[in-house]
Amino acid sequence: MATGSEDLVYGGIKMPSRLPLLLTHEGVLLPGSTVRFSVDTPRNMHLVKHRLLKGTSLQSTIIGVIPNTKDPSKEADEIPTLHKIGTAGIAVQVVGSNWPKPHYTLLITGLCRFSVSSLLTERPFILAEVEQLDKLEHYTNLTPEGVEAEDGELQELSQQFYQTALQLLGMLDVSVPVVAKFRRLLDSLPKETLPDVVASMIRTSNKEKLQVLDAVALEERFKTTLPMLTRQIEGLKLLQKTRKMMPDPEKKVLSVREGGGFPGRHFNLNVEEEDDDGDDTGSLERKVHAAKMPDAPLRVCLKELKRLKKMPQSMPEYALTRNYLDLMVELPWSKSTKDCLDIRAARTLLDIDHYAMDKLKRRVLEYLAVKQLKPTLKGPILCFVGPPGVGKTSVGRSIAKCLGREFHRIALGGICDQSDIRGHRRTYVGSMPGRIINGLKTVAVNNPVFLLDEVDKLGKSLQGDPAAALLEVLDPEQNHSFTDHYLNVTFDLSQVLFIATANTTATVPPALLDRMEVLQVPGYTQEEKVEISHRHLIPHQLEQHGLSSQQLHIPPDTTKDIINRYTREAGVRSLERKIGAVCRAVAVKIAEGQTDSKTEEVTDRLTQQGENAVPLASPPVMPIVIDNRALKDILGAPPFDLEVSERLTLPGVALGLAWTPLGGEIMFVEASRTEGEGQLTLTGQLGDVMKESAHLAISWLRANSKRYQLTNMSGGPDPLEGTDIHLHFPAGAVTKDGPSAGVTIVTCLTSLFSGRPVRSDVAMTGEITLRGLVLPVGGIKDKVLAAHRAGVKRVVVPRRNEKDLEELPANVRDDLDFVAAADLDQVLNAAFDGGFPGTDGVRRDARLSSKL
Ligand code: ADP
């Protein structure tokens, strides 16, 4: 045996008798295998820096690896107790990196075992006097004839081991490169080295590897490794038995990798990388052929695959190309679902899923019917426009369900980069495909229903206009050859069914709007909301919270209360949230009740045990009914309790109606005056058009002040003389603009100048002209619904908007008294109790009340 002072000789490589030691907790290096170690503790870092990176001779690359079972974080100054045996190895590769923290990655090939005789230095790294334990020459010089008596057993063992390894090999697929390599090694290596090599290749735990390392005597090593090899064979047999039914070659490779435990690592760096690579690209190639892609992408894929095979894995481009190919094989080039459309079933499904919205459902059915009769027809793209929470997305989902297609929602809100739609070129770092291709990958079929949500919220920036990219996607003439920048080959989108949603058409780019058929989805009336709640929202929320209708009952009156006093919206989203809150509160009560009753039952039983009495049957469970008081307890004080009538008691306040993308809203306009120099102050976040309306209203009032007997503060005829006027539009944080507040401003100021309060149940909308005419405005339906929600009784609308009132639900028309005004006289007459006649002698009977 070599002594510490001599040079060690192993496999022709001369080694120093003093070895720097690398303590590692990451794995066990066995002679003949190659392992990658990550190194980040101070001592190990010093070793790499001062020894491996500075040294120039082959000998300086030899280090001792000691498997350290202790946690490295505990390795502070003190050296932990070292494992008694280590492996001397050659560092074949050193890679340094600063991310995420400074560390080196070492690739080390094990040479032989050694034991530590004594430690020489501890800093900056450990240097030790070592004693070599393996002697390869000794084994290789042995001949079967020359073996001594005790070596007969060794011979037998080694033969048995070799046969078992051959048996394992026979069960594996030799076309897999790593298996072929194993076969070669088995034949070419001296048999004595096989236990180490095999133990590092088959599936073994670190603890088992440590046992192999500790087995210094050769017989012991064979004896330790043999059971591991047999276990591997047994495992493989079992796996093959269970997978007999799967003749797929891909599956076979899988079984080899899983059960055979040939992870392709730990042998030799080059072998490892080649093998892994060869194996992976092999399966990738099979996938490329199986993806049934058209010729052009197939050619691109094969070319990339060829490049990939030549690339080392460490190259950054390797990962890029690999990701690209993975995406290409995953895309549904020719996978689609079969449409199963039955119009009658579709009608039922739409009706079951959605209450009301008849017009929309009718149009959707027409659309589906045409699709059934002529599947190839490139129909228009439907765009549902309406306030949030009115069921636009939900109808889109139902359409997919009717057709039996996959559904995917693409949220476009806030997108301002066209690469979001069309992908980033592959040259960029972090490049990826756009949302369309990503969506296709997710649904894995090429004919899904894509819901382009919120097309009105597309942004624009220096990175290009996403709307322009969408144009290409939506145009039936172009989208059969859509090119994503990342893919760089065309993909046929013509089978995809696109549906868009928006809150308003005003901000949808005109070219995009031109490609779509707009279907308005207005807000719901209170009655509709009650129905929707009881048919859909409440059952849905009950289910979501694990409750049943036997446990919780929300009567319609309570629902109405939630709608009127706790929500103010066109849709039903916050209504659903409030119902959810009620369900949560009830769930707590029920859960508490259950535990209570359980403890009661136990105490009942305990007290009755003595008398041998049967426990009383518990009373039937009654549902918790939510009344007004319970509602207030759960949801708190109602936020929208302020009655409109309470705010309209003073002169100088009028109620207008506004349209916002979130639906209609009521809007108060307040005015006050003080002594001053005739200045007009406007507050409340107003846009330019709104400010113009205010000036217009003042001018008209000044021109007509005599006729209406309006006076300023000192009693003079000009309302602005010696008077400052302040007009305020509360809810100041919300920007308001548009001409439709004109009539409200005039009414408000007339009330201020005349000292007469406006009727407390009137709301109005309409644009004015300098001559006092009332011009039509948009969004009448939403505005009237908002007025109805707020409990207004009379609504003044421009005469030319009268036709829009027909679209309103019958109950709303019955509840409200409509005044269709052509000029301001008629507006004022309707807005004040007893009318507001001009004093030019002609009492105009202008109140054209139309009760539609
Ligand atoms: P939007 O896309 O218009 O903002 P959603 O489709 O997300 O609204 O709808 C919000 C919720 O309201 C969903 O749970 C939906 O099922 C429900 N909902 C909306 N309208 C109806 C309706 N008419 N019938 C049944 N449920 C509805």
Side-chain angles (χ1 to χ4, degrees):
M1 222 169 239
T3 58
S5 55
E6 290 167 25
D7 273 357
L8 304 163
V9 178
Y10 184 89
I13 301 170
K14 270 192 143 199
M15 293 187 300
S17 57
R18 296 169 168 188
L19 278 185
L21 298 188
L22 183 90
L23 307 189
T24 169
H25 69 288
E26 279 191 358
V28 181
L29 178 71
L30 289 174
S33 67
T34 302
V35 178
R36 204 180 288 273
F37 292 103
S38 179
V39 159
D40 58 1
T41 57
R43 262 198 206 96
N44 287 347
M45 295 279 279
H46 279 302
L47 189 154
V48 177
K49 258 190 246 168
H50 297 130
R51 178 75 178 225
L52 295 183
L53 296 180
K54 285 227 177 97
T56 48
S57 65
L58 183 62
Q59 287 203 348
S60 64
T61 61
I62 299 177
I63 57 174
V65 180
I66 301 265
N68 181 10
T69 39
K70 288 257 162 51
D71 189 351
S73 59
K74 297 199 182 97
E75 191 212 324
D77 259 9
E78 218 179 290
I79 297 182
T81 344
L82 298 181
H83 189 75
K84 55 186 189 298
I85 294 173
T87 312
I90 254 190
V92 290
Q93 193 188 55
V94 180
V95 181
S97 163
N98 264 338
W99 178 260
K101 57 178 181 177
H103 71 277
Y104 290 105
T105 307
L106 307 183
L107 201 66
I108 304 179
T109 302
L111 299 175
C112 64
R113 287 174 179 72
F114 68 83
S115 65
V116 179
S117 311
S118 62
L119 293 188
L120 298 174
T121 55
E122 295 186 4
R123 277 161 207 282
F125 52 87
I126 310 172
L127 194 66
E129 193 84 43
V130 297
E131 187 182 335
Q132 183 179 356
L133 300 177
D134 289 333
K135 289 192 173 53
L136 189 65
E137 293 82 358
H138 177 67
Y139 307 132
T140 41
N141 289 342
L142 283 177
T143 53
E145 306 88 59
V147 281
E148 295 158 36
E150 67 261 36
D151 284 333
E153 193 193 354
L154 186 65
Q155 269 289 328
E156 214 172 276
L157 269 175
S158 98
Q159 197 54 36
Q160 192 187 350
F161 191 87
Y162 177 72
Q163 290 303 337
T164 322
L166 272 185
Q167 191 191 347
L168 172 66
L169 202 62
M171 298 172 78
L172 300 175
D173 181 0
V174 205
S175 67
V176 178
V178 71
V179 180
K181 188 85 197 167
F182 180 52
R183 177 147 214 126
R184 249 177 294 139
L185 289 174
L186 207 59
D187 287 341
S188 61
L189 284 180
K191 297 213 173 35
E192 295 78 9
T193 59
L194 287 183
D196 282 338
V197 173
V198 172
S200 64
M201 288 185 89
I202 59 175
R203 183 162 289 192
T204 43
S205 67
N206 275 349
K207 204 166 147 206
E208 286 171 330
K209 285 205 191 94
L210 214 56
Q211 284 170 5
V212 178
L213 182 73
D214 288 349
V216 180
L218 207 49
E219 292 102 283
E220 194 191 336
R221 207 179 300 163
F222 273 120
K223 281 180 189 160
T224 319
T225 332
L226 201 56
M228 297 178 197
L229 195 59
T230 347
R231 184 189 63 200
Q232 196 74 41
I233 292 173
E234 292 306 317
L236 198 60
K237 270 188 196 158
L238 207 69
L239 205 79
Q240 280 180 347
K241 217 190 254 171
T242 51
R243 296 208 174 164
K244 235 177 198 152
M245 308 308 291
M246 300 181 196
D248 187 346
E250 247 181 359
K251 298 267 165 53
K252 202 165 167 191
V253 170
L254 197 72
S255 73
V256 167
R257 308 193 93 221
E258 282 179 359
F262 271 85
R265 45 188 180 129
H266 301 178
F267 192 71
N268 170 305
L269 167 72
N270 300 327
V271 175
E272 171 208 326
E273 305 232 315
E274 265 175 29
D275 287 354
D276 249 9
D277 185 16
D279 179 29
D280 273 11
T281 44
S283 84
L284 196 60
E285 189 166 354
R286 277 194 290 278
K287 281 188 197 160
V288 167
H289 288 294
K292 292 195 200 140
M293 46 180 100
D295 276 352
L298 183 64
R299 249 179 283 130
V300 173
C301 277
L302 292 177
K303 207 169 122 204
E304 293 290 326
L305 202 62
K306 220 160 133 193
R307 281 184 56 222
L308 189 76
K309 281 182 183 164
K310 288 189 199 140
M311 256 182 241
Q313 279 195 13
S314 50
M315 234 168 116
E317 209 185 330
Y318 182 90
L320 281 183
T321 315
R322 177 90 227 201
N323 288 346
Y324 174 75
L325 283 169
D326 280 343
L327 172 72
M328 288 291 271
V329 296
E330 269 183 59
L331 281 181
W333 297 96
S334 49
K335 257 192 261 168
S336 53
T337 47
K338 206 166 167 338
D339 282 358
C340 51
L341 182 59
D342 170 0
I343 284 295
R344 231 174 294 160
R347 186 194 297 274
T348 323
L349 197 113
L350 276 175
D351 280 340
I352 290 176
D353 279 358
H354 299 96
Y355 179 75
M357 43 170 57
D358 294 329
K359 212 165 136 190
L360 181 77
K361 284 195 280 195
R362 202 178 325 129
R363 179 64 190 97
V364 167
L365 276 178
E366 284 168 17
Y367 181 82
L368 293 177
V370 176
K371 193 122 203 91
Q372 185 181 14
L373 296 179
K374 194 156 193 300
T376 52
L377 182 83
K378 305 228 177 294
I381 286 141
L382 299 182
C383 177
F384 304 144
V385 177
V390 290
K392 303 183 293 296
T393 315
S394 169
V395 170
R397 197 167 276 130
S398 289
I399 292 180
K401 227 194 304 175
C402 293
L403 286 166
R405 291 194 182 195
E406 292 291 328
F407 177 82
H408 184 73
R409 176 175 161 267
I410 299 179
L412 297 176
I415 286 186
C416 56
D417 184 349
Q418 66 150 329
S419 316
D420 268 323
I421 308 288
R422 218 180 256 156
H424 295 265
R425 284 195 194 287
R426 261 200 299 151
T427 43
Y428 290 115
V429 178
S431 55
M432 53 185 170
R435 292 186 186 214
I436 305 285
I437 292 297
N438 248 338
L440 284 167
K441 184 181 129 193
T442 312
V443 296
V445 283
N446 63 10
N447 63 343
V449 172
F450 268 171
L451 186 91
L452 304 171
D453 218 358
E454 312 200 319
V455 274
D456 56 330
K457 301 201 180 55
L458 281 175
K460 230 186 219 184
S461 72
L462 289 179
Q463 276 77 39
D465 182 359
L470 261 193
L471 277 184
E472 190 191 334
V473 173
L474 296 182
D475 191 344
E477 301 303 318
Q478 292 183 43
N479 69 7
H480 56 84
S481 59
F482 170 71
T483 309
D484 183 281
H485 286 160
Y486 182 82
L487 287 196
N488 211 15
V489 284
T490 57
F491 194 96
D492 183 2
L493 294 182
S494 57
Q495 301 304 313
V496 180
L497 189 95
F498 288 101
I499 298 173
T501 77
N503 289 146
T504 165
T505 49
T507 48
V508 180
L512 205 55
L513 202 57
D514 192 45
R515 299 273 193 291
M516 304 189 286
E517 177 181 334
V518 172
L519 296 180
Q520 295 286 350
V521 195
Y524 297 116
T525 61
Q526 181 191 311
E527 286 69 25
E528 284 170 342
K529 285 186 187 176
V530 173
E531 282 296 325
I532 293 174
S533 302
H534 287 272
R535 287 171 191 234
H536 300 281
L537 307 182
I538 296 178
H540 181 232
Q541 286 300 321
L542 285 179
E543 192 199 322
Q544 292 265 308
H545 291 84
L547 297 170
S548 70
S549 50
Q550 273 83 45
Q551 291 170 310
L552 168 65
H553 178 61
I554 306 181
D557 279 347
T558 310
T559 321
K560 256 184 222 161
D561 235 22
I562 304 180
I563 295 166
N564 292 330
R565 299 170 70 199
Y566 290 90
T567 65
R568 191 139 288 179
E569 56 170 358
V572 292
R573 196 166 284 154
S574 92
L575 173 61
E576 189 169 13
R577 236 176 284 135
K578 296 284 178 209
I579 294 174
V582 171
C583 290
R584 276 197 300 279
V586 171
V588 173
K589 281 266 175 283
I590 289 177
E592 275 174 358
Q594 273 175 358
T595 46
D596 278 1
S597 61
K598 258 185 210 152
T599 46
E600 271 167 26
E601 220 172 86
V602 172
T603 42
D604 272 1
R605 225 175 290 151
L606 285 176
T607 49
Q608 287 162 1
Q609 254 169 7
E611 300 140 35
N612 275 343
V614 189
L616 289 170
S618 52
V621 185
M622 297 294 282
I624 296 182
V625 180
I626 304 293
D627 57 7
N628 285 357
R629 253 193 57 212
L631 198 63
K632 202 167 170 193
D633 281 347
I634 296 170
L635 298 180
F640 301 111
D641 224 8
L642 192 62
E643 275 291 301
V644 169
S645 53
E646 284 170 24
R647 294 187 62 167
L648 289 170
T649 48
L650 291 174
V653 190
L655 187 61
L657 294 171
W659 183 87
T660 72
L662 310 183
E665 263 180 34
I666 57 165
M667 177 182 69
F668 286 94
V669 180
E670 296 175 352
S672 72
R673 58 179 172 177
T674 49
E675 276 180 28
E677 291 152 7
Q679 273 190 0
L680 173 68
T681 311
L682 296 166
T683 50
Q685 281 286 322
L686 308 178
D688 287 341
V689 182
M690 201 83 148
K691 286 180 190 156
E692 281 170 12
S693 295
H695 285 287
L696 211 59
I698 295 257
S699 299
W700 184 81
L701 282 170
R702 285 174 94 173
N704 293 282
S705 62
K706 268 207 190 115
R707 203 173 113 210
Y708 291 102
Q709 292 179 340
L710 303 178
T711 54
N712 57 28
M713 293 192 78
S714 47
D718 182 358
L720 276 189
E721 192 188 336
T723 312
D724 279 353
I725 293 171
H726 188 158
L727 261 177
H728 180 59
F729 297 74
V734 186
T735 310
K736 311 165 198 73
D737 202 11
S740 67
V743 292
T744 322
I745 301 173
V746 169
T747 311
C748 168
L749 289 173
T750 313
S751 155
L752 179 73
F753 296 142
S754 64
R756 292 177 61 187
V758 180
R759 269 178 66 150
S760 61
D761 57 356
V762 179
M764 60 201 75
T765 182
E767 182 178 353
I768 54 169
T769 70
L770 209 46
R771 285 170 45 234
L773 298 179
V774 177
L775 300 184
V777 291
I780 288 290
K781 190 174 173 191
D782 284 322
K783 288 176 178 175
V784 173
L785 288 179
H788 187 245
R789 277 202 294 275
V792 166
K793 292 279 170 298
R794 176 182 288 182
V795 180
V796 183
V797 294
R799 163 90 43 92
R800 277 160 62 191
N801 278 121
E802 236 181 329
K803 59 181 187 318
D804 298 329
L805 301 177
E806 280 162 27
E807 284 182 24
L808 288 166
N811 67 314
V812 175
R813 278 186 288 173
D814 288 346
D815 285 352
L816 293 175
D817 171 19
F818 291 100
V819 178
D823 58 36
L824 283 169
D825 267 1
Q826 294 168 0
V827 174
L828 294 181
N829 261 325
F832 290 91
D833 262 334
F836 204 101
T839 54
D840 49 3
V842 193
R843 156 132 203 169
R844 301 171 184 215
D845 187 14
R847 223 197 83 204
L848 272 181
S849 168
S850 101
K851 210 156 190 297
L852 289 169

